[in-house]
């Protein structure tokens, strides 16, 4: 933390501008040595924020005409003195400026080191830091909005609230252990029960939303399945055409597994390649293939495409029965029907009359997907949506400890036992925001950032 760090904040290559970032106690000196502002009077004012045009030199050699953004401690991203050098976008110039900063005493930053300093200097908690990565990697508007909300501290506030409740309850128990008088005990036990229940209500609410949050962040693993010629490719192509931003290459998944990604109603559908099912004439037979099994098993959403004017095959019925909960039946080619659809086949399933050809059914598909993700009519405000797996599993551990505490209260356990449960809950809720966190975890989190962030 004593070092002054420097990094390119933009990706290398020829571009309009490059930005270098410098942070730390020596950054001011380095800039003074290399940068000659055009407006010296203004530069000397040392305002908290300023943008200054001037010349950047290394020794006597002029390297570029640059814009230097100055953000002085504590009013900067890292909380330290930060300078951002905007230079022209040639790799050579940017490299020379980078080398000059290093020669004058800066150290090349590790991935995520700026954000790690921001965390260590109390500029943001871990929920916000992880939201920075999510914002950078978000692929839909919904995901970006969620990350932005987390970044601005909405979710942190709710977690801190829960932590505060647990902390107070813990303090209350500790006091009870110190003064175990019998007549106070009964009253206090009631009070304690109320406190623990209140914390449980909060953690349950957050956990309920986390399912939605995770889908918004990560998308839904989706399989389009059906016998040949029902219109699977037509459906896929139509979905891809509709989408404003088509995304491929999803981090965290093997590339050959995901065929395409489409955003339907703001939800990312990650389409898993199931050639085995698509091309099969006899699905049940092909289901023996492990890969196919896995695809259906792992899928979070199955779009079973069937043809409206043909009865369901035993294979289609099979999928419908086994995976009822995650299936949406796309009853395609309704334009070929002379009469209304016969409903009996799809009795309990979610199904949508569809015609890719006539562009019917897409809106309903969007509605059905959204209904699933947002869990029906449960109103979920976005500042209560946990989406990060690490944070969710810490909250689950916290919730478990709270439930354990609740059971201990009901069964009249002594206070020092309750204290253990509460301490555990406190530890886990503190892991979420980073109030109580190990160095190795921090390293793991921040190493996922890019250099210069
Ligand atoms: P896949 O084998 O399941 O991928 O099916 P395709 O997408 O290749 O479609 C097979 C045939 O059905 C093509 O000739 C499509 O033009 C046609 N098709 C797809 N959707 C519709 C539809 O809604 N109505 C009609 N009448 N034909 C369709």
């Amino acid at each position: 933390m004593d070092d002054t760090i420097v990094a390119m904040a933009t990706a290398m290559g020829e571009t309009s501008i490059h930005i270098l970032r410098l942070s730390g106690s020596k950054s001011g000196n380095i800039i003074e040595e290399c940068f000659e502002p055009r407006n010296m009077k203004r530069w000397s004012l040392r305002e908290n924020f300023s943008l200054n045009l001037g010349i950047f030199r290394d020794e006597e050699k002029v390297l570029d005409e640059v814009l230097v953004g100055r953000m002085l401690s504590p009013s900067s991203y890292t909380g330290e003195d930060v300078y951002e050098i905007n230079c022209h976008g040639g790799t050579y110039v940017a490299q020379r400026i980078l080398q000059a900063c290093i020669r004058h005493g800066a150290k090349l930053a590790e991935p995520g080191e700026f954000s790690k300093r921001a965390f260590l200097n109390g500029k943001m908690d871990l929920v916000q830091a992880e939201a920075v990565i999510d914002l950078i990697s978000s692929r839909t508007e919904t995901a970006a909005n969620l990350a932005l909300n987390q970044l601005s501290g909405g979710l942190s506030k709710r977690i801190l609230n829960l932590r505060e409740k647990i902390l107070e309850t813990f303090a209350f128990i500790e006091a009870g252990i110190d003064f175990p008088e019998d007549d106070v005990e009964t009253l206090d036990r009631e009070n304690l029960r109320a406190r623990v229940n209140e914390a449980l209500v909060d953690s349950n609410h957050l956990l309920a939303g986390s399912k939605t949050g995770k889908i918004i962040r990560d998308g839904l693993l989706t399989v389009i399945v059906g016998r040949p010629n029902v219109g699977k490719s037509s459906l896929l192509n139509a979905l891809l055409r509709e989408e404003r931003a088509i995304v491929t290459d999803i981090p965290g998944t093997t590339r050959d597994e995901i065929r395409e990604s489409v955003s339907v109603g703001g939800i990312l559908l990650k389409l898993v390649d199931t050639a085995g099912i698509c091309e099969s004439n006899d699905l049940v037979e092909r289901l023996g293939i492990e890969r196919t099994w896995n695809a259906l098993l792992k899928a979070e959403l199955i779009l079973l495409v069937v043809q409206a004017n043909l009865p369901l095959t035993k294979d289609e019925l099979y999928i419908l029965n086994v995976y009822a909960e995650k299936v949406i039946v796309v009853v395609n080619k309704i334009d070929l029907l002379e009469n209304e659809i016969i409903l009996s086949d799809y009795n309990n399933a979610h199904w949508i009359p569809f015609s890719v050809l006539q562009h019917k059914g897409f809106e309903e598909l969007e509605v059905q997907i959204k209904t699933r993700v947002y869990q029906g009519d449960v109103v979920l405000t976005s500042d209560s949506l946990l989406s990060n797996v690490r944070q969710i599993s810490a909250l689950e551990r916290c919730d478990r400890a709270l439930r354990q505490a609740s059971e201990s209260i009901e069964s009249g356990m002594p206070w020092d036992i309750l204290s253990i449960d509460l301490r555990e809950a406190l530890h886990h809720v503190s892991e979420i925001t980073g109030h109580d966190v190990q160095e190795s975890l921090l390293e793991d989190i921040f190493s996922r950032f890019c250099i210069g962030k």
Side-chain angles (χ1 to χ4, degrees):
M1 285 285 277
D2 293 337
D3 292 330
T4 290
I5 49 172
V6 67
M8 297 277 302
T10 44
M12 267 300 173
E14 229 166 83
T15 160
S16 61
I17 59 165
H18 273 309
I19 301 175
L20 292 98
R21 228 180 195 182
L22 198 58
S23 177
S25 55
K26 272 190 285 184
S27 58
N29 288 347
I30 295 170
I31 289 292
E32 291 293 345
E33 283 164 20
C34 302
F35 177 62
E36 187 186 303
R38 186 175 283 183
N39 186 339
M40 201 48 168
K41 210 165 128 199
R42 197 163 157 233
W43 177 255
S44 311
L45 288 177
R46 289 187 63 78
E47 299 152 299
N48 268 351
F49 292 98
S50 63
L51 198 57
N52 310 271
L53 184 67
I55 296 294
F56 198 98
R57 294 175 196 278
D58 188 12
E59 308 298 332
E60 283 316 299
K61 175 148 177 50
V62 173
L63 294 182
D64 197 3
E65 189 175 56
V66 296
L67 263 178
V68 170
R70 174 158 68 183
M71 291 147 275
L72 294 178
S73 170
S75 313
S76 71
Y77 182 69
T78 59
E80 305 170 330
D81 288 347
V82 169
Y83 291 83
E84 282 183 7
I85 307 165
N86 294 236
C87 62
H88 288 105
T91 308
Y92 172 76
V93 172
Q95 285 284 11
R96 284 293 306 265
I97 294 177
L98 187 69
Q99 284 160 4
C101 292
I102 292 171
R103 202 171 13 256
H104 285 87
K107 186 200 84 166
L108 201 58
E110 308 274 339
E113 198 169 354
F114 292 89
S115 301
K116 189 174 177 187
R117 288 183 177 206
F119 167 71
L120 293 173
N121 289 326
K123 298 295 287 187
M124 55 164 109
D125 62 26
L126 276 190
V127 172
Q128 291 169 303
E130 290 182 312
V132 170
I133 318 184
D134 287 354
L135 185 61
I136 292 173
S137 55
S138 55
R139 295 152 174 276
T140 60
E141 190 180 342
T142 331
N145 286 344
L146 179 63
L148 201 57
N149 186 291
Q150 295 176 350
L151 185 58
S152 63
L155 176 60
S156 301
K157 211 181 280 169
R158 294 192 63 114
I159 309 267
L160 286 177
N161 231 324
L162 171 61
R163 181 173 182 270
E164 200 59 32
K165 278 182 189 164
I166 298 174
L167 197 61
E168 278 172 14
T169 314
F170 183 63
F172 184 76
I173 291 183
E174 292 285 293
I177 292 173
D178 292 343
F179 311 103
E181 292 166 30
D182 282 351
D183 47 342
V184 204
E185 150 85 355
T186 326
L187 251 182
D188 280 356
R189 211 163 257 274
E190 268 314 305
N191 188 331
L192 193 60
R193 175 181 291 140
R195 282 166 182 269
V196 170
N197 283 343
E198 222 179 284
L200 262 173
V201 167
D202 281 10
S203 80
N204 281 334
H205 187 82
L206 283 163
L207 278 178
S210 68
K211 213 169 139 195
T212 300
K214 194 175 166 305
I215 294 171
I216 291 176
R217 175 183 184 263
D218 299 334
L220 276 176
L221 216 53
T222 305
V223 171
I224 299 181
V225 57
R227 67 184 119 144
N229 251 356
V230 286
K232 297 180 299 295
S233 317
S234 310
L235 173 66
L236 177 65
N237 289 334
L239 288 174
L240 286 170
R241 258 199 311 278
E242 289 242 314
E243 202 194 3
R244 268 166 290 169
I246 296 166
V247 248
T248 47
D249 186 16
I250 295 176
T253 41
T254 46
R255 212 188 283 192
D256 53 11
E257 222 183 12
I258 305 284
R259 192 165 50 171
E260 317 267 5
S261 303
V262 289
S263 157
V264 177
I267 307 299
L268 192 75
L269 303 189
K270 296 179 294 184
L271 298 162
V272 184
D273 193 352
T274 56
I277 294 175
C278 296
E279 262 88 66
S280 165
N281 288 321
D282 184 345
L283 288 178
V284 174
E285 192 180 292
R286 294 297 295 263
L287 283 176
I289 303 165
E290 199 184 338
R291 178 152 159 259
T292 311
W293 261 118
N294 279 341
L296 282 181
L297 218 56
K298 277 198 301 191
E300 292 160 310
L301 174 68
I302 297 173
L303 297 179
L304 173 61
V305 188
V306 302
Q307 194 159 321
N309 58 344
L310 300 174
L312 289 181
T313 62
K314 65 178 193 299
D315 310 326
E316 289 161 348
L317 282 167
Y318 179 85
I319 292 178
L320 207 51
N321 286 332
V322 176
Y323 298 109
E325 272 172 25
K326 51 187 186 184
V327 168
I328 294 178
V329 189
V330 173
V331 186
N332 194 30
K333 307 197 189 182
I334 50 165
D335 52 286
L336 299 180
L337 283 184
E338 283 169 14
N339 304 309
E340 290 288 295
I341 286 184
I342 303 159
L343 305 185
S344 57
D345 272 351
Y346 319 118
N347 247 345
N348 295 316
H350 292 274
W351 59 277
I352 306 169
F354 223 95
S355 169
V356 179
L357 201 69
Q358 297 183 341
H359 208 81
K360 283 183 186 149
F362 287 90
E363 275 166 25
E364 179 58 21
L365 180 64
E366 191 173 315
V367 169
Q368 287 215 14
I369 288 172
K370 278 196 198 162
T371 309
R372 262 155 207 260
V373 173
Y374 294 105
Q375 301 172 35
D377 54 4
V378 181
V379 181
L380 297 159
T381 54
S382 56
D383 67 355
S384 62
L385 291 185
L386 230 69
S387 57
N388 174 294
V389 176
R390 180 194 73 81
Q391 297 166 20
I392 294 171
S393 64
L395 183 65
E396 280 167 350
R397 289 194 293 272
C398 167
D399 189 74
R400 222 173 294 141
L402 283 174
R403 262 182 288 137
Q404 182 65 47
S406 171
E407 280 165 27
S408 300
I409 294 170
E410 298 307 327
S411 56
M413 289 285 185
W415 287 55
D416 45 355
I417 298 285
L418 292 176
S419 165
I420 295 172
D421 296 334
L422 261 293
R423 188 190 294 272
E424 172 103 5
L426 184 62
H427 167 64
H428 293 307
V429 77
S430 304
E431 276 179 326
I432 303 176
T433 48
H435 280 81
D436 182 354
V437 75
Q438 288 182 335
E439 177 61 27
S440 58
L441 179 65
L442 287 187
E443 263 170 33
D444 179 50
I445 289 172
F446 288 104
S447 65
R448 274 179 265 146
F449 282 67
C450 27
I451 288 195
K453 190 69 217 176

